[in-house]
Amino acid sequence: MAAPIDLELKKAFSELQVKMIDTQQKVKLADLQIDQLTRVQKHAKLTHTEITTLPDNTRLYEGVGRMFILQSKEEINNQLMDKQKTADEKIKELE
């Protein structure tokens, strides 16, 4: 009777190890995504603070692929604020 119990314990232990490794990988992936999102958030915040110091009549361009599009200061500020909000929401989801 001792042999079947040992086999069951061994099987349960190996399944637990597989689950543990899988969970560790998912946690590492989530941490990497959080780090990347915080970088995006910081970049948007720094860009926003720099743009707010510029005068209102300054021409601002957004880089799109290999070209630049003229946009108003308000539009760019709104885009940066949206980036910050979405990054913050995603970070909360991952945590």
Side-chain angles (χ1 to χ4, degrees), residues 51 54-62 68-73 76:
I51 287 176
L54 298 173
D56 289 335
N57 61 353
T58 304
R59 298 179 73 147
L60 299 174
Y61 295 89
E62 178 188 7
F68 296 95
I69 298 176
L70 178 65
Q71 289 193 344
S72 69
K73 188 176 176 181
I76 291 180

